[in-house]
Amino acid sequence: MQYRELAVAGAWEITPQQFGDPRGVFLEWFKDAPFRDAAGHGLDLRQANLSVSAAGVVRGIHFADVPPGQAKYVTCARGAVLDVVVDIRVGSPTFGRWDSVLLDDVDRRAIYLPEGLGHAFMSLEDDSTVLYLCSSGYDPQREHGIHPLDPDVAVEWPTVGRDGRPLEPQLSTKDEAAPTLAEARERGLLPRFEDVQAYLATLDG
């Protein structure tokens, strides 16, 4: 397993070792020891999610109040998505920065983002199937979003799918109505960097 820290501090790209033979492929997509070495703490699994998305579907940018927030460890079991992490921590040296990882059924990478960061992805193929391990359960009262097409965040979403056809972003009604990053900051919805760091320091090492 290879870990590479992304441009947003605390977020990681994970590339597993795959073992293939005529029967198929086997891999470990999460392993506690190397995860702890990279992240500095364990992943307290409280919920596992699965989503299936048509080509062009954009989910996010989503985040949760800290504490407890919601850390996510994400992979794509079928198809392909561009997975994006956004630094929404007010006071962070990289506030507003984003980075991305291609998750697909070829390299079978995963992405980890800790509490306090924004998460989104775009499906590059019909029926792309994404699996999430989450550190806390869904709580609609503590969940928030930022518009994924916010020009100030300026995520470079793909315009062409895996099959070479043009992609048009498809958003849910909720994501379509989400505030911009600036609006979310003005409303006091965003986590503060020092609060996130203090909470992460309480997690087990």
Side-chain angles (χ1 to χ4, degrees):
M1 238 176 212
Q2 296 181 343
Y3 277 71
R4 179 179 70 88
E5 191 165 20
L6 300 180
V8 177
W12 295 84
E13 172 194 270
I14 303 98
T15 303
Q17 184 177 5
Q18 301 188 58
F19 302 91
D21 61 29
R23 300 171 301 162
V25 175
F26 173 84
L27 64 119
E28 297 168 337
W29 74 281
F30 173 81
K31 198 167 184 177
D32 183 65
F35 176 83
R36 286 176 180 271
D37 289 342
H41 55 79
L43 178 62
D44 186 11
L45 178 61
R46 297 301 179 93
Q47 184 169 309
N49 302 334
L50 182 152
S51 68
V52 181
S53 302
V57 166
V58 177
R59 298 184 186 268
I61 303 165
H62 299 150
F63 64 98
D65 291 338
V66 180
Q70 188 182 65
K72 296 176 181 176
Y73 190 104
V74 185
T75 194
C76 182
R78 182 190 186 283
V81 303
L82 183 73
D83 201 282
V84 173
V85 55
V86 183
D87 192 345
I88 58 169
R89 303 167 295 189
V90 177
S92 167
T94 56
F95 177 77
R97 182 179 298 178
W98 62 274
D99 203 351
S100 64
V101 175
L102 176 65
L103 305 181
D104 62 20
D105 51 16
V106 177
D107 294 319
R108 305 183 192 278
R109 291 188 177 96
I111 185 173
Y112 168 70
L113 57 151
E115 294 85 349
L117 297 179
H119 177 250
F121 69 79
M122 173 184 266
S123 174
L124 308 182
E125 177 177 294
D126 285 342
D127 298 323
S128 291
T129 303
V130 174
L131 304 173
Y132 321 60
L133 303 180
C134 303
S135 66
S136 63
Y138 175 70
D139 182 350
Q141 302 303 315
R142 305 181 67 84
E143 299 281 338
H144 308 285
I146 294 164
H147 200 291
L149 306 184
D150 179 357
D152 288 334
V153 179
V155 174
E156 296 176 9
W157 295 111
T159 58
V160 177
R162 208 179 192 189
D163 59 3
R165 297 180 183 176
L167 284 180
E168 287 292 334
Q170 300 181 46
L171 278 59
S172 69
T173 301
K174 182 179 178 181
D175 289 343
E176 192 73 67
T180 65
L181 183 64
E183 290 168 343
R185 184 174 185 175
E186 290 172 4
R187 297 179 193 175
L189 298 176
L190 302 180
R192 297 190 306 166
F193 183 68
E194 61 266 32
D195 293 340
V196 173
Q197 296 302 100
Y199 177 72
L200 292 178
T202 68
L203 301 181
D204 65 306

Coordinates of all heavy atoms in Angstrom, one line a residue, residues 29 47-54 57-60 62 72-81 83 103 119-123 125-134:
W29 N -8.1 -3.0 0.4 CA -8.4 -1.5 0.1 C -8.3 -0.7 1.3 O -8.2 0.6 1.3 CB -9.6 -1.3 -0.7 CG -10.9 -1.5 0.0 CD1 -11.6 -2.6 0.3 CD2 -11.8 -0.4 0.4 NE1 -12.8 -2.3 0.8 CE2 -13.0 -1.0 0.9 CE3 -11.7 1.0 0.3 CZ2 -14.0 -0.2 1.4 CZ3 -12.8 1.7 0.8 CH2 -13.9 1.1 1.4
Q47 N -20.1 4.1 10.0 CA -21.1 3.9 9.0 C -20.4 3.6 7.7 O -19.3 4.1 7.4 CB -21.9 5.2 8.8 CG -23.1 5.1 7.8 CD -24.0 6.3 7.9 OE1 -24.5 6.6 9.0 NE2 -24.3 6.9 6.8
A48 N -21.0 2.8 6.8 CA -20.4 2.5 5.5 C -21.5 2.8 4.5 O -22.7 2.3 4.6 CB -20.0 1.0 5.4
N49 N -21.2 3.6 3.5 CA -22.1 4.0 2.4 C -21.8 3.5 1.1 O -20.6 3.2 0.8 CB -22.2 5.5 2.4 CG -22.6 6.2 3.7 OD1 -23.3 5.5 4.5 ND2 -22.2 7.4 3.9
L50 N -22.7 3.4 0.2 CA -22.5 3.0 -1.2 C -23.4 3.9 -2.1 O -24.6 4.0 -1.8 CB -22.8 1.5 -1.4 CG -22.6 0.9 -2.8 CD1 -22.3 -0.6 -2.7 CD2 -23.8 1.1 -3.7
S51 N -22.8 4.4 -3.1 CA -23.7 5.2 -4.1 C -23.4 4.7 -5.5 O -22.2 4.3 -5.8 CB -23.4 6.7 -4.0 OG -22.0 7.0 -4.4
V52 N -24.4 4.8 -6.3 CA -24.3 4.4 -7.8 C -24.7 5.6 -8.5 O -25.8 6.2 -8.3 CB -25.1 3.2 -8.1 CG1 -25.0 2.8 -9.6 CG2 -24.7 2.0 -7.2
S53 N -23.9 6.1 -9.5 CA -24.1 7.4 -10.2 C -24.0 7.2 -11.7 O -23.1 6.6 -12.2 CB -23.1 8.4 -9.7 OG -23.2 8.6 -8.3
A54 N -24.8 7.9 -12.4 CA -24.7 8.0 -13.8 C -23.6 9.0 -14.2 O -23.1 9.8 -13.4 CB -26.1 8.6 -14.4
V57 N -22.9 12.9 -13.0 CA -23.5 13.2 -11.6 C -22.3 13.7 -10.8 O -21.3 13.2 -10.7 CB -24.1 12.0 -11.0 CG1 -24.4 12.2 -9.5 CG2 -25.4 11.6 -11.7
V58 N -22.6 14.8 -10.1 CA -21.7 15.4 -9.1 C -22.4 15.3 -7.8 O -23.5 15.8 -7.6 CB -21.4 16.9 -9.5 CG1 -20.5 17.5 -8.4 CG2 -20.7 17.0 -10.8
R59 N -21.7 14.8 -6.8 CA -22.2 14.7 -5.4 C -21.2 15.5 -4.5 O -20.0 15.2 -4.5 CB -22.2 13.2 -5.0 CG -23.2 12.4 -5.8 CD -23.3 11.0 -5.2 NE -24.1 10.1 -6.0 CZ -25.4 9.9 -5.9 NH1 -26.0 10.5 -5.0 NH2 -26.0 9.0 -6.7
G60 N -21.8 16.5 -3.8 CA -20.9 17.4 -3.0 C -21.0 18.8 -3.5 O -21.7 19.1 -4.5
H62 N -19.7 18.3 0.2 CA -20.3 18.0 1.5 C -19.4 18.1 2.7 O -18.2 17.7 2.5 CB -21.0 16.7 1.5 CG -22.1 16.6 0.4 ND1 -22.4 15.4 -0.2 CD2 -22.9 17.5 -0.1 CE1 -23.4 15.6 -1.1 NE2 -23.7 16.9 -1.1
K72 N -13.8 10.4 5.9 CA -14.2 9.5 4.9 C -13.0 8.8 4.2 O -12.0 9.5 3.9 CB -15.1 10.2 3.8 CG -16.4 10.8 4.3 CD -17.1 11.6 3.2 CE -18.4 12.2 3.8 NZ -19.1 13.0 2.7
Y73 N -13.2 7.5 4.0 CA -12.2 6.7 3.3 C -13.0 6.1 2.1 O -13.9 5.3 2.3 CB -11.6 5.6 4.2 CG -10.4 4.9 3.7 CD1 -9.2 5.1 4.2 CD2 -10.6 3.9 2.8 CE1 -8.1 4.4 3.8 CE2 -9.5 3.1 2.3 CZ -8.2 3.4 2.8 OH -7.1 2.7 2.4
V74 N -12.6 6.5 0.9 CA -13.5 6.3 -0.3 C -12.8 5.6 -1.4 O -11.6 5.9 -1.7 CB -14.0 7.7 -0.8 CG1 -15.0 7.5 -1.9 CG2 -14.6 8.5 0.3
T75 N -13.5 4.7 -2.0 CA -12.9 4.0 -3.2 C -14.1 3.8 -4.2 O -15.2 4.0 -3.9 CB -12.3 2.7 -2.9 OG1 -11.5 2.2 -4.0 CG2 -13.3 1.6 -2.5
C76 N -13.7 3.5 -5.4 CA -14.7 3.2 -6.5 C -14.5 1.8 -7.0 O -13.5 1.4 -7.5 CB -14.4 4.2 -7.7 SG -15.6 4.0 -9.1
A77 N -15.5 1.0 -6.7 CA -15.5 -0.5 -7.0 C -15.8 -0.8 -8.4 O -15.3 -1.8 -9.0 CB -16.5 -1.2 -6.1
R78 N -16.6 0.1 -9.1 CA -16.9 -0.1 -10.5 C -17.0 1.3 -11.2 O -17.5 2.2 -10.6 CB -18.3 -0.8 -10.6 CG -18.7 -1.1 -12.1 CD -20.1 -1.6 -12.2 NE -20.5 -1.9 -13.5 CZ -20.8 -1.1 -14.5 NH1 -20.7 0.2 -14.3 NH2 -21.1 -1.5 -15.7
G79 N -16.5 1.3 -12.4 CA -16.5 2.6 -13.1 C -15.4 3.5 -12.7 O -14.3 3.1 -12.4
A80 N -15.7 4.8 -12.7 CA -14.6 5.8 -12.5 C -15.3 7.1 -12.0 O -16.3 7.5 -12.5 CB -13.8 6.1 -13.7
V81 N -14.6 7.8 -11.0 CA -15.0 9.1 -10.6 C -13.8 9.9 -10.3 O -12.7 9.4 -10.0 CB -15.8 9.0 -9.3 CG1 -17.1 8.1 -9.4 CG2 -15.0 8.5 -8.1
D83 N -12.5 12.2 -7.7 CA -12.9 12.5 -6.3 C -12.1 13.7 -5.8 O -10.9 13.8 -6.1 CB -12.5 11.3 -5.4 CG -13.3 11.3 -4.1 OD1 -12.9 12.1 -3.2 OD2 -14.2 10.6 -4.0
L103 N -10.5 7.9 -9.0 CA -10.8 6.6 -8.4 C -11.5 5.7 -9.5 O -12.4 6.2 -10.0 CB -11.7 6.7 -7.2 CG -11.3 7.6 -6.1 CD1 -12.3 7.7 -4.9 CD2 -9.9 7.2 -5.5
H119 N -15.9 17.3 0.7 CA -15.8 16.1 -0.2 C -16.8 16.2 -1.3 O -18.0 16.5 -1.1 CB -15.9 14.8 0.6 CG -15.9 13.6 -0.3 ND1 -17.0 12.8 -0.5 CD2 -14.8 13.1 -1.0 CE1 -16.6 11.8 -1.3 NE2 -15.3 11.9 -1.6
A120 N -16.3 15.9 -2.5 CA -17.2 15.8 -3.7 C -16.6 14.8 -4.7 O -15.4 14.5 -4.7 CB -17.4 17.2 -4.3
F121 N -17.5 14.4 -5.7 CA -16.9 13.7 -6.8 C -17.8 13.8 -8.0 O -19.0 14.1 -7.9 CB -16.7 12.2 -6.5 CG -17.9 11.3 -6.3 CD1 -18.7 10.9 -7.3 CD2 -18.3 11.0 -5.0 CE1 -19.8 10.1 -7.1 CE2 -19.4 10.2 -4.8 CZ -20.2 9.7 -5.8
M122 N -17.3 13.6 -9.2 CA -18.0 13.5 -10.4 C -17.9 12.1 -11.0 O -16.8 11.6 -11.2 CB -17.6 14.5 -11.4 CG -18.3 14.4 -12.8 SD -17.7 15.5 -14.1 CE -18.9 16.8 -13.9
S123 N -19.0 11.5 -11.4 CA -19.0 10.2 -12.0 C -18.6 10.4 -13.5 O -19.1 11.2 -14.2 CB -20.3 9.5 -11.9 OG -20.4 8.3 -12.7
E125 N -18.6 7.7 -15.6 CA -19.2 6.6 -16.4 C -20.5 6.2 -15.7 O -20.7 6.3 -14.5 CB -18.2 5.4 -16.3 CG -18.7 4.1 -17.0 CD -17.6 3.1 -16.9 OE1 -16.5 3.3 -17.6 OE2 -17.7 2.1 -16.2
D126 N -21.5 5.7 -16.5 CA -22.7 5.3 -15.9 C -22.5 4.1 -14.9 O -21.6 3.3 -15.2 CB -23.7 4.8 -17.0 CG -24.3 5.9 -17.8 OD1 -24.3 7.0 -17.3 OD2 -24.8 5.7 -18.9
D127 N -23.3 4.1 -13.9 CA -23.2 3.1 -12.8 C -21.9 3.0 -12.1 O -21.5 2.0 -11.5 CB -23.5 1.7 -13.4 CG -24.9 1.6 -14.1 OD1 -25.8 2.2 -13.5 OD2 -25.1 1.0 -15.1
S128 N -21.2 4.1 -12.0 CA -20.0 4.2 -11.2 C -20.4 4.0 -9.7 O -21.3 4.6 -9.2 CB -19.3 5.5 -11.3 OG -18.7 5.6 -12.6
T129 N -19.7 3.0 -9.0 CA -20.1 2.6 -7.7 C -19.1 3.0 -6.7 O -17.9 2.5 -6.8 CB -20.4 1.1 -7.7 OG1 -21.4 0.7 -8.7 CG2 -20.8 0.6 -6.3
V130 N -19.4 3.8 -5.8 CA -18.5 4.4 -4.8 C -18.8 3.9 -3.4 O -20.0 3.8 -3.0 CB -18.5 5.9 -4.8 CG1 -17.7 6.5 -3.7 CG2 -18.1 6.5 -6.2
L131 N -17.8 3.5 -2.7 CA -17.9 2.9 -1.3 C -17.2 3.9 -0.4 O -16.1 4.4 -0.6 CB -17.3 1.6 -1.2 CG -17.8 0.5 -2.2 CD1 -16.9 -0.8 -2.0 CD2 -19.2 0.1 -1.9
Y132 N -17.9 4.2 0.7 CA -17.4 5.1 1.7 C -17.3 4.5 3.1 O -18.3 3.9 3.5 CB -18.2 6.4 1.9 CG -18.9 7.0 0.8 CD1 -19.8 6.4 0.0 CD2 -18.7 8.4 0.5 CE1 -20.5 7.0 -1.1 CE2 -19.3 9.0 -0.5 CZ -20.2 8.3 -1.3 OH -20.9 9.0 -2.3
L133 N -16.2 4.5 3.8 CA -16.1 4.2 5.2 C -16.2 5.5 5.9 O -15.4 6.4 5.6 CB -14.8 3.5 5.5 CG -14.6 2.2 4.7 CD1 -13.3 1.5 5.2 CD2 -15.7 1.2 4.9
C134 N -17.0 5.7 6.9 CA -17.2 7.0 7.6 C -17.0 6.9 9.1 O -17.4 5.9 9.7 CB -18.7 7.5 7.3 SG -19.1 7.7 5.6

